[in-house]
Amino acid sequence: MTSDVPTGSPRPQGARPEDGRGSPRGNAPVRRHDAVVLAGGGARRLGGADKPAVTVGGRPLLDRVLSACADATATVVVGPRRPTPRPVTWVREEPPGGGPLAALDAGLRHTTEPLVLVLSADLPFLREETVRTLLAGVDAEPGPWPGGGGAERAQSAARAADAARAEDAGDELAGCEGALVDDGRDQPLLAAYRAESLRRELALLHTEYGSLHGLPLRLLLPELRLRRVRASSDTSDALDCDTWDDVAAARARIRERDTVLDEWMTAAKAELGVELDVDTAMLLDLARDAAHGVARPAAPLTTFLVGYAAAMRGGSAQDVAEASRKAVQLAARWAAEAEEAGPAGEADGGR
């Protein structure tokens, strides 16, 4: 087994889960965990293409998966080294090409948290919400939660809520060693596990077969007590990209009318290194008001100026909202003046 030091673009200060806010997006605390992403394999059905680098919505598949598991304390990627949008630890199974169990074993050796998220690198529509659901479905001692005090109370409340949901569903959560997505078949590379349970099963398989090299992934599951999370019909978390037809379908899906703006904003923020919750509806309203109250070219120019002004004031969501509010009020004043001036004024304003 070989390993490399963490690489990738530095994460903005305060974005790690240790800061007590849980998610970098600043909501409920997340159970402490590490992530192992399998990004090797020969991609034979893609003609040997570098699958993690294949783009969907202009972003490499691997980058899309890394965005969904950004709350991990440490992220280990098993596969050939490449640029990534945030720091990860690179490892390879020895020898390379040893299959998913050998790769998982190599990655797991670089984790320390009691919970581990295990993902393949070809899930273009994986959501943070699904990651949180999987982590909540594992009965494991999560260790200290970030921040202590109130965060510890939040931990107790979260675990109580998990237990209540399991009881309501008739699913006994106690003793559960893993939670995986079930979309008609088990998805062991879209799952969360107790790290020690994985280590135990991998060690037993190594003893039984003499090596993990070339062993099928399905051998990992039979002795684990698992909770299966049903994939919703209206989500695409479990859709992977094994063939070029799969890639084409994913690229078409990302442009669907209901989601294309959200997908574009996510891609643009990732490309520009922006970690900010953007109120898309607010900005679209601003662009509409500028276009109608001033002139069409004012829309993109105004939204640019709003972003620039917000950045000068610190770049928070509140800064964006305040700059947008001022620009909307200005556009409203222009529109009011045009109405007072009558048709001639409107014609002049539309030039």
Side-chain angles (χ1 to χ4, degrees), residues 295-334:
R296 286 187 180 180
L301 295 173
T302 305
T303 52
F304 165 78
L305 290 173
V306 163
Y308 192 85
M312 291 180 63
R313 288 164 174 77
S316 70
Q318 292 76 16
D319 295 324
V320 174
E322 177 62 16
S324 296
R325 183 187 63 81
K326 291 181 177 180
V328 166
Q329 290 176 345
L330 176 61
R333 294 197 296 271
W334 274 63

Side-chain angles (χ1 to χ4, degrees), residues 148-162:
E152 292 178 359
R153 291 191 292 272
Q155 170 189 358
S156 300
R159 288 176 64 80
D162 295 341

Side-chain angles (χ1 to χ4, degrees), residues 208-343:
E208 182 175 356
Y209 291 93
S211 171
L212 297 176
H213 189 93
L215 294 183
L217 194 60
R218 66 176 182 273
L219 294 178
L220 181 68
L221 302 183
E223 301 302 322
L224 291 172
R225 185 172 182 180
L226 299 171
R227 180 182 182 187
R228 286 164 173 83
V229 177
R230 297 290 180 182
S232 172
S233 59
D234 61 350
T235 63
S236 311
D237 295 87
L239 294 182
D240 54 13
C241 291
D242 288 330
T243 68
W244 286 116
D245 285 343
D246 294 337
V247 173
R251 288 172 173 171
R253 188 183 184 100
I254 212 168
R255 294 179 179 271
E256 291 178 355
R257 182 175 180 180
D258 292 343
T259 58
V260 64
L261 284 180
D262 287 339
E263 290 286 357
W264 169 251
M265 292 296 289
T266 299
K269 288 191 295 182
E271 188 73 13
L272 298 172
V274 175
E275 291 201 12
L276 177 70
D277 289 327
V278 176
D279 189 336
T280 303
M282 175 185 66
L283 292 177
L284 290 176
D285 288 345
L286 167 61
R288 178 203 62 202
D289 292 344
H292 290 177
V294 185
R296 286 187 180 180
L301 295 173
T302 305
T303 52
F304 165 78
L305 290 173
V306 163
Y308 192 85
M312 291 180 63
R313 288 164 174 77
S316 70
Q318 292 76 16
D319 295 324
V320 174
E322 177 62 16
S324 296
R325 183 187 63 81
K326 291 181 177 180
V328 166
Q329 290 176 345
L330 176 61
R333 294 197 296 271
W334 274 63
E337 291 177 5
E339 290 177 2
E340 292 174 2

Side-chain angles (χ1 to χ4, degrees), residues 31 114-115 138-143 159 176 193-194:
R31 297 177 73 178
L115 290 179
V138 185
D139 179 32
E141 289 300 322
R159 288 176 64 80
C176 183
Y193 303 93
R194 287 187 196 172

Side-chain angles (χ1 to χ4, degrees), residues 45-302:
R45 289 197 281 171
L46 286 175
D50 182 8
K51 181 158 66 168
V54 171
T55 62
V56 171
R59 300 173 65 201
L61 289 171
L62 175 59
D63 289 5
R64 298 180 70 88
V65 172
L66 291 178
S67 293
C69 62
D71 287 336
T73 303
T75 301
V76 182
V77 181
V78 187
R81 189 184 181 105
R82 67 188 71 241
T84 54
R86 64 180 179 85
V88 301
T89 297
W90 293 97
V91 304
R92 295 298 304 270
E93 72 274 26
E94 193 63 49
L101 287 184
L104 177 58
D105 181 62
L108 199 60
R109 293 174 185 271
H110 292 264
T111 65
T112 57
E113 296 289 356
L115 290 179
V116 61
L117 186 67
V118 177
L119 303 169
S120 63
D122 63 346
L123 301 168
F125 301 109
L126 179 61
R127 299 169 302 144
E128 293 176 46
E129 294 87 345
T130 299
V131 167
R132 287 170 175 261
T133 298
L134 291 170
L135 292 168
V138 185
D139 179 32
E141 289 300 322
W145 279 51
E152 292 178 359
R153 291 191 292 272
Q155 170 189 358
S156 300
R159 288 176 64 80
D162 295 341
R165 284 195 296 270
E167 184 177 353
D168 291 342
D171 179 15
E172 189 60 45
L173 191 60
C176 183
E177 296 175 297
L180 53 74
V181 168
D182 175 7
D183 66 343
R185 58 191 178 96
D186 287 343
Q187 298 290 341
L189 297 184
L190 180 45
Y193 303 93
R194 287 187 196 172
E196 284 306 315
S197 298
L198 281 186
R199 293 187 179 102
R200 179 196 70 215
E201 292 305 308
L202 289 170
L204 289 172
L205 288 171
H206 191 283
T207 298
E208 182 175 356
Y209 291 93
S211 171
L212 297 176
H213 189 93
L215 294 183
L217 194 60
R218 66 176 182 273
L219 294 178
L220 181 68
L221 302 183
E223 301 302 322
L224 291 172
R225 185 172 182 180
L226 299 171
R227 180 182 182 187
R228 286 164 173 83
V229 177
R230 297 290 180 182
S232 172
S233 59
D234 61 350
T235 63
S236 311
D237 295 87
L239 294 182
D240 54 13
C241 291
D242 288 330
T243 68
W244 286 116
D245 285 343
D246 294 337
V247 173
R251 288 172 173 171
R253 188 183 184 100
I254 212 168
R255 294 179 179 271
E256 291 178 355
R257 182 175 180 180
D258 292 343
T259 58
V260 64
L261 284 180
D262 287 339
E263 290 286 357
W264 169 251
M265 292 296 289
T266 299
K269 288 191 295 182
E271 188 73 13
L272 298 172
V274 175
E275 291 201 12
L276 177 70
D277 289 327
V278 176
D279 189 336
T280 303
M282 175 185 66
L283 292 177
L284 290 176
D285 288 345
L286 167 61
R288 178 203 62 202
D289 292 344
H292 290 177
V294 185
R296 286 187 180 180
L301 295 173
T302 305

